[in-house]
Amino acid sequence: MKTRELKIINQGLEDELEVWGYRPCLWKRILVGIGVVFTGGLLLLLLYWLPEWGVKGTCTHTSLRDAHTLLLRSTDEFKQWFRAKVHVMLAPGQRPFDRLDLPNRDGKHSMEEHHEVFADMQPVQIHYFTFHSTKYYWNDAIQNFEIYKGLEDLNVSCASVHSDHSSGLAKLVQNYRRLFFEANEIAVRVPSLFKLLMKEVLNPFYIFQLFSVILWCAEDYYYYAAAIVFMSVISIATSLYTLKKQYVMLHDMVAAHSVVRISVCRGNKDIEQAMSTELVPGDVIVIPANGMIMPCDATLVHGTCIVNEGMLTGESVPVTKTSLPSSGEDGDRTYNMEDHKRHTLFCGTHVIQTRFYTGELVKAVVVRTGFSTEKGQMVRSILYPKPTDFKLYRDAYLFLLCLVGIAGIGFIYNVVLSVMNKVPAPTIIIKSLDIITITVPAALPAAMTAGIVYAQRRLKRVGIFCISPQRINMCGQLNLVCFDKTGTLTEEGLDLWGIQRAEHGSFSPPEVDAAKQALVHTAFVGCMATCHSLTKIEGELSGDPLDLKMFSATGWILEEPTEEETALHNPIMPTVVRPLKQIAPEAKQNVPLTQNMSCEIGIVRQIPFSSALQRMSVVVRRLGEKHMDAYLKGAPEVVASLCTPNTIPQSFTETLEAYTKQGFRVIALAHRQLESKLSWHKVQHLSRDLLETNMEFLGLIIMQNKLKVETAGVLRNLQQANIRTVMVTGDNMLTAISVARDCGMVGPHERVIIADAVPPKDLHPACITWLYTENPVQTNRDSQAVDINLEEEEHDRYLPHHNQSYHFAVSGKAFAVIVKHFPQLVQKLVLRATVFARMAPDQKTQLVEVLQGVDYIVGMCGDGANDCGALKRAHSGISLSELEASVASPFTSSTPSISCVPNLIREGRAALVTSFCVFKFMALYSIIQYLSVTLLYSILSNLGDFQFLFIDIAIILIIAFTMSLNPAWKDLVWRRPPSSLISGPLLCSVLTQIMTCLIFQVLAFLLVRQQSWYEIWTPVSDACNVSSGTFSHNVTSPHDIKNIKNYENTTLFYVSSFQYLAIAIVFSKGKPFRQPSYRNWPFMLSCIGLYTFLLLIMLHPIPAIDSFLEIVCVPHDWRITLVIIVIVNAAVSFLLEILIVDIILWKLVFRDSDGVNQPPLSRSADTSQVSIDRWGSACLSWLFCQKNKTPRMQYMHLTLELQGDPNWPPRPSTVTHASTPQAHLCAPL
């Protein structure tokens, strides 16, 4: 495949694809057709399973422009192949936003007439293909396929949206654009049962089962074939039911509000009713006063809306959406949905109510439709999830290939043996193929799934719901969990601790009551009462919890205009706030003249909070005043940067640090008096940058965000279980560090190093300043200065001893700079970074990817508000919100607490260990049966149909499904279960048990032939009564044709049956990940029942059962011998598993494979025992080639590297420049 023919689509995005063009080749298709006929359709199946072979085998290379078929490959770690058919569409233009010379017609013409208009124009052929519900169109200019998302493709400015796109589209233009964007719907097609059935049964596993059933029927093994068919039908039916149910649920969720009747503008005045499916980007819709469910993504151009975005954010808090800026610097900026989300109404969100102008309607311009919308992208992520990349499943396929290889040896052995014994060719073929069906267990997938299903049910009982069951196993390997702070580690709501006003350039003493009458007329309380996004919904005040707490602390009330009041005023009736009780006349006399003003304030303009800018502002007017005022609220450091320096107290930094280090959430307020000549109209169009400048600093609001009761205990349990915990929050850095100390993420005596990075500026390169925080016990500046001087002396002595003594803390701004300018430091930094503050939602996702890049198995726990991307990207995302936004998260907890995390990990570990147990058991079952059959083939015998049936149904299925029922162990231990089947301990476990079973089967097989009573069995043989006389060897019976009944068969049947049970008990381990097997009563009852039954029929033969199982009678002495053999066999299996695997290999040789950090040995431990363990560990590690072996995981490798690096972590107050990796000392900060 030539690289020059390779094209990349969706470059730089998550769904980036490589694409090649192909056209049909006749001679290749003829050859494939012949191959399909000669292989009985198997070649067709192979080409269906391998799309790249299917395309290359039937097509030849061509350019993308001329391609009929495309071969696509994802560029992620999975490298998945897809094929797509190229279609051709006739349209009057090349692109959806091309200006066409369309005749003027009113909007009443039918679609047929519009198609006639298009037909009269010169048609253009447009090539396109559809992949994952997205259409890609050919672009001659870039010689590649591209996506048309919507209005953003035009790169229009905000002002241009108002001037060029706010009047609406003509019907003809709308129909033309719909050729490209199609109907505005998120169409989740529920596949028919037949289609789902075909997709399910064409799975390679079921094809193999079909092959096995046909083979067994050819051998007259009808009962066993029927049992396998019955199991397969049950499995397929269950799978189809689950899939159908999921599709229907998703369809119902999406379709509930996807089609509504709306008002669409056709020009400045014309408004017509239409269905939402007809909308295209550029349409202008009217938002009704009573609200609606948005059918598309649209940006507001007139009016204000109150929106509940719980569907997208997972946070059911009303958000105020204002109209897009139309002038100034803000108007000149290019419209972008992410940057202008405070002006954008997203598909699926609920517009609760609108604020409207007199005589004007609330209008919005459609930006995106269908699957291009935010909701459409979320649904696509559910419909087309990335495959679960887990080593267990990859190793399982490798292990099955090994079994196939073993089956190949048996195949050759049987062919050679049969030819030597002159067995007929059809019998040779059937018997040889039968070896393959025995070696690859048919019930393996069902048995493996059982453990996950049981774990899913147990999770449901504790309030954890799962939409991706395969990820439960991945939870068992989690070694790092990221936590959001607010609402996850801390309580959702904030309490007002107090306020601290600033007057004349200095702070006043802190005050608790902001509602006292002395403060009513102050600008500080005026800012608290107005600078928010609160609104009344059905008479109840609603909005952001922080705003609600702040406003309620003032004791003021909020009044919104009614529809009648709005109609009487021009141009708008503002929202008004005023104290609940007017100030008393005698109190007014004591108020200075400058403050003797009305308490009633009208909110003229609201500039919503921006997470990127970390602030919001309002323009207000007091009743009776001629001028307006601007109030600003936001992050203290941001607000201070917008204020005049003389209004900021000198102790601002010290005061802010004092509060944030105690874990308080601090918000700063500012005020500015606007010029009296500014009219209401001018204020509405004034740019944000001009408004929010030269402010007067008013002071601080101190909010208290308490830790949840269970937070510290849960984090302590995780750390004791050798699981790293990381905080990822949008809050202030020092507040986050304080919370990290309070909850135990950072120990009381551990250093926190802030990596403060700044981008390049004025020829100065980007640099990182390494700031060592002071001891949390010390709070005054003098002691801090002493501490900084001391830490330089202690650095070399204290930090390098153990990498447990320090943590990095990084802000979102610094993280962006480090990723861009210091890529060589990113992995080193995240290895010890515990606090990430001021992180934007996309940065949270990026952080998860970086952690995964150093081989961490990452969990993410958040409330869904800003964590949706990270929840989806993590190996295991756990949402504490049950709203619709969290539907894309693999796990959702009904309890809004992080106590769900250890529960999920415990169940994940139990499910993972169960998967290993079941896989090992099923593999040994196949090998044991393979050994039995191979030994019997040597005498041209085999197991009987009912023997197979008894083994596979009565023993294997019952045991496999009950051994998965062990619940999770009650505690999290420091050791994690293995993640790979191809590991030393597991392979050693399987191989030792295989050798044990082989030795005892061969021993029994050879011993029975050495017995004095042994002879070639015939229907008249009676070994139970050796004195009965001479046997006749010339008697034949129709039951004797297959040579099933013989002494070797009976002996191996008994021995192998007990081996299955012994292996099941040996592999079914309990602690430290699962409850002991004796608490799994279905498993114990099954084992006891089967042992009893087998001992009964072996020691006390029952003729009816012997006849059914085709067992022959053997002497009582031989039965006692068999009992001894099976007891010794079970004892050897048990000792080998416990002694070699659990003690020698796990505890001495492979004990460092799970991580670098192991639990420390107690100082009081027996020194001699420790030295013996170390000596034994060293010897065995050398024996198993584990000595000085490089760690597999990259984070472990980096940890070992950094432990030997004397320059890491960087020294206090040093600076690392982007131009050189060396650090340069600067003065202490």
Side-chain angles (χ1 to χ4, degrees):
M1 193 174 288
K2 300 177 182 177
T3 53
R4 63 183 175 84
E5 297 165 337
L6 168 68
K7 294 283 187 179
I8 305 290
I9 56 177
N10 301 329
Q11 193 157 11
L13 301 178
E14 188 178 2
D15 52 354
E16 184 179 86
L17 294 164
E18 298 171 340
V19 56
W20 293 267
Y22 287 85
R23 55 183 172 81
C25 177
L26 182 60
W27 66 268
K28 284 188 177 183
R29 291 192 169 193
I30 293 172
L31 286 179
V32 167
I34 295 169
V36 168
V37 172
F38 277 99
T39 59
L42 288 178
L43 179 59
L44 197 61
L45 279 172
L46 189 65
L47 298 182
Y48 169 77
W49 294 329
L50 301 169
E52 70 274 27
W53 288 19
V55 173
K56 294 174 186 176
T58 58
C59 304
T60 56
H61 264 301
T62 187
S63 64
L64 288 183
R65 178 69 181 82
D66 302 321
H68 290 243
T69 301
L70 298 177
L71 187 58
L72 308 166
R73 185 175 67 180
S74 62
T75 58
D76 54 22
E77 65 271 26
F78 305 107
K79 302 294 182 186
Q80 287 181 286
W81 291 92
F82 307 93
R83 65 183 299 167
K85 180 74 175 173
V86 177
H87 302 276
V88 177
M89 176 179 76
L90 293 178
Q94 285 278 4
R95 295 181 186 85
F97 298 107
D98 285 350
R99 294 187 177 275
L100 305 177
D101 296 326
L102 297 173
N104 284 327
R105 301 194 179 192
D106 57 49
K108 298 179 182 178
H109 287 272
S110 66
M111 282 292 294
E112 289 77 10
E113 291 177 334
H114 294 150
H115 282 302
E116 289 176 10
V117 173
F118 291 154
D120 293 339
M121 303 178 67
Q122 184 66 34
V124 178
Q125 282 193 347
I126 300 173
H127 294 248
Y128 72 93
F129 71 94
T130 304
F131 177 71
H132 285 180
S133 299
T134 302
K135 274 193 172 183
Y136 296 79
Y137 293 90
W138 177 255
N139 186 333
D140 276 322
I142 62 173
Q143 286 293 297
N144 202 353
F145 288 93
E146 63 177 351
I147 305 173
Y148 297 132
K149 290 183 178 178
L151 203 63
E152 288 172 292
D153 295 337
L154 293 174
N155 293 321
V156 291
S157 66
C158 297
S160 177
V161 172
H162 281 273
S163 60
D164 301 334
H165 300 278
S166 60
S167 59
L169 298 178
K171 191 73 175 178
L172 277 174
V173 176
Q174 186 194 53
N175 289 332
Y176 168 66
R177 289 187 182 179
R178 200 180 301 122
L179 293 175
F180 294 87
F181 293 106
E182 297 187 311
N184 171 38
E185 61 178 345
I186 302 171
V188 179
R189 313 288 183 197
V190 180
S192 65
L193 278 175
F194 178 77
K195 189 173 181 180
L196 288 173
L197 177 65
M198 286 296 100
K199 190 173 181 180
E200 188 73 13
V201 298
L202 290 180
N203 183 292
F205 167 71
Y206 287 117
I207 297 299
F208 176 75
Q209 276 198 338
L210 178 63
F211 162 75
S212 301
V213 167
I214 293 172
L215 187 66
W216 293 327
C217 289
E219 294 183 282
D220 297 333
Y221 291 163
Y222 297 116
Y223 295 102
Y224 183 55
I228 292 297
V229 169
F230 176 75
M231 283 196 307
S232 299
V233 168
I234 296 296
S235 176
I236 291 171
T238 305
S239 179
L240 290 184
Y241 171 77
T242 306
L243 281 172
K244 186 82 172 179
K245 184 180 177 182
Q246 288 177 348
Y247 271 111
V248 169
M249 285 177 61
L250 186 60
H251 175 269
D252 292 345
M253 181 193 82
V254 172
H257 308 288
S258 62
V259 180
V260 293
R261 185 166 287 278
I262 52 167
S263 300
V264 183
C265 297
R266 300 282 180 225
N268 289 323
K269 300 294 181 183
D270 296 337
I271 295 177
E272 67 176 33
Q273 294 296 309
M275 299 306 295
S276 59
T277 52
E278 299 175 19
L279 293 176
V280 296
D283 269 328
V284 176
I285 60 174
V286 177
I287 312 296
N290 59 348
M292 65 185 295
I293 302 291
M294 287 300 296
C296 59
D297 290 347
T299 183
L300 272 173
V301 288
H302 292 295
T304 305
C305 293
I306 310 298
V307 185
N308 184 342
E309 292 189 325
M311 188 283 301
L312 280 182
T313 64
E315 193 170 11
S316 188
V317 174
V319 179
T320 301
K321 302 281 186 170
T322 57
S323 60
L324 199 67
S326 59
S327 60
E329 290 184 13
D330 291 337
D332 292 336
R333 288 176 181 153
T334 302
Y335 173 76
N336 179 277
M337 277 180 56
E338 180 60 32
D339 297 339
H340 296 93
K341 59 184 177 183
R342 285 291 180 177
H343 313 290
T344 304
L345 306 173
F346 293 102
C347 178
T349 58
H350 182 199
V351 179
I352 302 169
Q353 64 184 36
T354 62
R355 304 279 180 81
F356 42 88
Y357 301 86
T358 304
E360 291 193 27
L361 299 170
V362 177
K363 296 180 181 179
V365 178
V366 177
V367 179
R368 293 186 184 181
T369 58
F371 276 100
S372 295
T373 62
E374 287 291 306
K375 184 176 181 179
Q377 295 294 332
M378 186 180 76
V379 173
R380 280 184 70 231
S381 70
I382 300 170
L383 283 173
Y384 312 105
K386 281 194 172 184
T388 305
D389 180 32
F390 195 37
K391 199 165 173 44
L392 169 66
Y393 305 122
R394 284 180 279 147
D395 289 347
Y397 287 116
L398 289 175
F399 209 94
L400 286 175
L401 285 176
C402 293
L403 292 179
V404 171
I406 294 171
I409 296 170
F411 181 93
I412 296 169
Y413 164 77
N414 183 64
V415 169
V416 172
L417 193 67
S418 299
V419 170
M420 290 172 62
N421 287 277
K422 299 181 180 179
V423 177
T427 306
I428 294 177
I429 294 172
I430 291 175
K431 292 287 184 184
S432 300
L433 291 175
D434 196 30
I435 286 281
I436 298 174
T437 67
I438 289 170
T439 313
V440 181
L444 177 62
M448 291 279 285
T449 304
I452 297 173
V453 172
Y454 298 149
Q456 190 176 6
R457 288 179 181 174
R458 290 193 295 268
L459 286 172
K460 192 174 182 180
R461 284 199 292 268
V462 295
I464 301 173
F465 302 93
C466 173
I467 64 168
S468 180
Q470 295 301 323
R471 288 184 184 254
I472 295 176
N473 272 341
M474 298 190 75
C475 295
Q477 275 295 303
L478 289 181
N479 49 20
L480 184 147
V481 182
C482 299
F483 292 95
D484 182 32
K485 183 180 78 70
T486 307
T488 303
L489 298 175
T490 61
E491 297 289 351
E492 184 67 48
L494 293 166
D495 296 320
L496 184 70
W497 181 85
I499 61 174
Q500 190 156 12
R501 295 183 296 129
E503 293 180 326
H504 311 298
S506 62
F507 278 117
S508 302
E511 299 168 88
V512 177
D513 186 12
K516 58 186 180 182
Q517 285 194 344
L519 300 179
V520 167
H521 291 280
T522 61
F524 190 95
V525 171
C527 184
M528 287 180 68
T530 58
C531 197
H532 52 69
S533 57
L534 300 179
T535 186
K536 280 194 172 180
I537 299 173
E538 297 179 355
E540 291 291 327
L541 203 60
S542 184
D544 186 272
L546 186 148
D547 287 345
L548 280 169
K549 286 285 184 183
M550 181 183 73
F551 183 75
S552 63
T554 64
W556 290 37
I557 59 173
L558 181 142
E559 296 174 344
E560 290 182 336
T562 63
E563 189 172 346
E564 292 77 14
E565 289 174 329
T566 307
L568 294 173
H569 293 76
N570 188 25
I572 188 171
M573 181 72 177
T575 297
V576 174
V577 294
R578 60 180 177 81
L580 182 61
K581 297 178 181 178
Q582 291 292 342
I583 191 167
E586 57 272 17
K588 272 191 177 182
Q589 294 175 4
N590 300 325
V591 177
L593 185 63
T594 55
Q595 294 187 7
N596 192 8
M597 57 187 77
S598 171
C599 298
E600 203 166 291
I601 305 176
I603 301 173
V604 177
R605 182 188 174 191
Q606 183 186 97
I607 302 176
F609 176 80
S610 165
S611 57
L613 300 176
Q614 298 177 10
R615 64 182 189 264
M616 77 162 290
S617 57
V618 291
V619 177
V620 304
R621 172 175 276 171
R622 282 186 184 267
L623 189 64
E625 291 287 340
K626 293 184 179 180
H627 64 82
M628 298 184 193
D629 295 279
Y631 287 122
L632 176 70
K633 174 189 74 176
E637 55 269 31
V638 174
V639 172
S641 69
L642 299 172
C643 294
T644 53
N646 62 314
T647 65
I648 301 173
Q650 291 184 351
S651 61
F652 170 79
T653 304
E654 291 85 349
T655 304
L656 178 61
E657 285 185 5
Y659 285 126
T660 53
K661 285 177 181 177
Q662 296 176 61
F664 290 113
R665 175 87 176 269
V666 184
I667 298 159
L669 306 182
H671 161 260
R672 177 188 172 194
Q673 181 177 312
L674 301 179
E675 299 175 8
S676 55
K677 66 179 181 180
L678 279 176
S679 65
W680 178 91
H681 181 77
K682 287 183 178 178
V683 164
Q684 298 301 321
H685 295 88
L686 199 64
S687 75
R688 184 171 197 159
D689 292 339
L690 289 175
L691 197 64
E692 298 172 345
T693 186
N694 295 323
M695 308 290 284
E696 175 193 354
F697 187 80
L698 293 178
L700 304 173
I701 299 175
I702 301 99
M703 312 290 284
Q704 192 172 18
N705 194 198
K706 298 177 182 177
L707 277 178
K708 290 183 178 179
V709 178
E710 62 279 353
T711 294
V714 169
L715 295 180
R716 185 167 56 251
N717 289 342
L718 293 177
Q719 289 165 354
Q720 288 172 351
N722 198 23
I723 296 171
R724 258 190 75 188
T725 54
V726 172
M727 182 192 298
V728 190
T729 178
D731 208 342
N732 175 277
M733 170 67 80
L734 295 177
T735 300
I737 293 174
S738 174
V739 172
R741 287 193 185 277
D742 291 343
C743 68
M745 277 191 184
V746 177
H749 302 294
E750 293 178 337
R751 291 284 177 203
V752 175
I753 307 170
I754 299 176
D756 185 19
V758 293
K761 184 180 180 182
D762 300 331
L763 302 178
H764 295 287
C767 63
I768 306 173
T769 305
W770 307 94
L771 305 173
Y772 280 52
T773 60
E774 64 184 25
N775 191 309
V777 178
Q778 299 167 334
T779 55
N780 62 69
R781 297 297 290 176
D782 295 334
S783 61
Q784 182 191 1
V786 173
D787 187 45
I788 289 177
N789 291 332
L790 286 174
E791 64 187 4
E792 288 189 26
E793 298 174 4
E794 293 182 349
H795 175 82
D796 293 328
R797 174 175 61 84
Y798 178 60
L799 282 178
H801 281 300
H802 246 290
N803 277 356
Q804 300 294 330
S805 56
Y806 70 95
H807 301 260
F808 287 116
V810 187
S811 67
K813 179 182 174 183
F815 182 72
V817 173
I818 293 169
V819 168
K820 184 175 182 180
H821 298 284
F822 299 87
Q824 76 281 3
L825 290 181
V826 173
Q827 292 187 347
K828 291 182 180 180
L829 202 61
V830 298
L831 202 63
R832 294 300 306 157
T834 300
V835 177
F836 292 87
R838 297 292 191 209
M839 295 287 279
D842 59 326
Q843 288 182 317
K844 292 183 180 182
T845 307
Q846 191 177 12
L847 172 63
V848 169
E849 292 172 347
V850 171
L851 290 168
Q852 290 172 334
V854 290
D855 295 334
Y856 276 112
I857 307 296
V858 183
M860 175 72 198
C861 182
D863 57 4
N866 296 310
D867 311 315
C868 290
L871 287 171
K872 287 189 288 184
R873 190 70 187 94
H875 291 107
S876 294
I878 312 151
S879 173
L880 303 185
S881 168
E882 294 186 85
L883 294 174
E884 196 174 344
S886 302
V887 75
S889 176
F891 300 95
T892 304
S893 173
S894 59
T895 306
S897 128
I898 65 169
S899 58
C900 63
V901 175
N903 287 335
L904 182 59
I905 296 175
R906 285 191 306 105
E907 289 295 349
R909 289 182 172 185
L912 183 56
V913 169
T914 298
S915 294
F916 282 120
C917 291
V918 172
F919 195 95
K920 287 162 63 179
F921 172 68
M922 296 300 288
L924 260 294
Y925 141 66
S926 296
I927 296 297
I928 291 170
Q929 198 168 79
Y930 169 79
L931 294 174
S932 301
V933 170
T934 305
L935 288 171
L936 291 174
Y937 274 8
S938 67
I939 60 168
L940 302 181
S941 180
N942 199 354
L943 291 172
D945 192 3
F946 290 104
Q947 288 176 339
F948 275 122
L949 194 66
F950 174 78
I951 291 170
D952 291 312
I953 304 298
I955 297 180
I956 301 305
L957 285 186
I958 291 175
I959 293 298
F961 283 98
T962 56
M963 75 187 301
S964 304
L965 288 169
N966 289 41
W969 183 244
K970 56 186 178 183
D971 298 319
L972 276 178
V973 296
W974 66 266
R975 197 176 86 188
R976 286 186 297 275
S979 62
S980 171
L981 281 169
I982 314 298
S983 65
L986 291 176
L987 284 179
C988 189
S989 171
V990 171
L991 291 174
T992 53
Q993 297 301 332
I994 288 175
M995 292 305 297
T996 303
C997 294
L998 172 63
I999 289 168
F1000 280 94
Q1001 280 204 38
V1002 171
L1003 176 66
F1005 182 79
L1006 295 177
L1007 275 178
V1008 72
R1009 297 169 69 92
Q1010 300 300 319
Q1011 300 304 306
S1012 59
W1013 46 264
Y1014 173 82
E1015 65 171 355
I1016 297 175
W1017 188 89
T1018 64
V1020 296
S1021 297
D1022 187 9
C1024 295
N1025 186 7
V1026 293
S1027 62
S1028 61
T1030 307
F1031 304 125
S1032 175
H1033 299 286
N1034 58 358
V1035 180
T1036 60
S1037 170
H1039 303 287
D1040 194 30
I1041 295 173
K1042 293 182 180 178
N1043 192 23
I1044 300 299
K1045 289 188 174 184
N1046 54 64
Y1047 300 119
E1048 293 89 343
N1049 171 286
T1050 299
T1051 298
L1052 289 180
F1053 172 75
Y1054 282 135
V1055 172
S1056 63
S1057 295
F1058 280 103
Q1059 283 181 338
Y1060 299 130
L1061 295 175
I1063 289 298
I1065 294 171
V1066 166
F1067 284 162
S1068 186
K1069 296 176 182 177
K1071 291 198 305 182
F1073 305 116
R1074 304 197 305 167
Q1075 295 281 358
S1077 291
Y1078 60 78
R1079 293 191 178 181
N1080 180 358
W1081 60 266
F1083 176 70
M1084 292 307 297
L1085 286 179
S1086 301
C1087 289
I1088 292 170
L1090 286 167
Y1091 265 117
T1092 303
F1093 175 78
L1094 287 171
L1095 286 171
L1096 178 67
I1097 64 172
M1098 188 166 71
L1099 296 177
H1100 300 282
I1102 301 172
I1105 294 177
D1106 285 358
S1107 175
F1108 178 78
L1109 293 176
E1110 300 180 87
I1111 298 172
V1112 300
C1113 189
V1114 293
H1116 187 266
D1117 291 344
W1118 181 241
R1119 296 175 188 275
I1120 299 299
T1121 305
L1122 288 179
V1123 171
I1124 295 170
I1125 289 174
V1126 297
I1127 290 174
V1128 174
N1129 186 353
V1132 170
S1133 294
F1134 183 80
L1135 287 174
L1136 286 175
E1137 185 72 12
I1138 299 301
L1139 181 65
I1140 294 182
V1141 177
D1142 290 348
I1143 296 179
I1144 296 179
L1145 293 181
W1146 270 122
K1147 293 189 176 180
L1148 297 178
V1149 180
F1150 295 97
R1151 63 179 178 179
D1152 292 332
S1153 63
D1154 283 335
V1156 174
N1157 305 320
Q1158 303 296 341
L1161 291 171
S1162 171
R1163 292 182 182 272
S1164 60
D1166 182 14
T1167 308
S1168 60
Q1169 183 61 43
V1170 171
S1171 61
I1172 290 170
D1173 282 352
R1174 286 178 178 171
W1175 182 83
S1177 176
C1179 292
L1180 289 166
S1181 294
W1182 175 83
L1183 181 64
F1184 285 91
C1185 303
Q1186 292 288 312
K1187 194 70 175 175
N1188 300 323
K1189 186 178 178 182
T1190 304
R1192 298 190 311 273
M1193 301 300 179
Q1194 191 172 351
Y1195 71 88
M1196 294 162 56
H1197 183 72
L1198 280 170
T1199 301
L1200 292 176
E1201 276 188 3
L1202 295 179
Q1203 281 179 347
D1205 187 351
N1207 296 319
W1208 190 265
R1211 293 174 180 275
S1213 304
T1214 59
V1215 179
T1216 303
H1217 294 281
S1219 57
T1220 172
Q1222 300 299 322
H1224 303 282
L1225 287 176
C1226 66
L1229 300 176

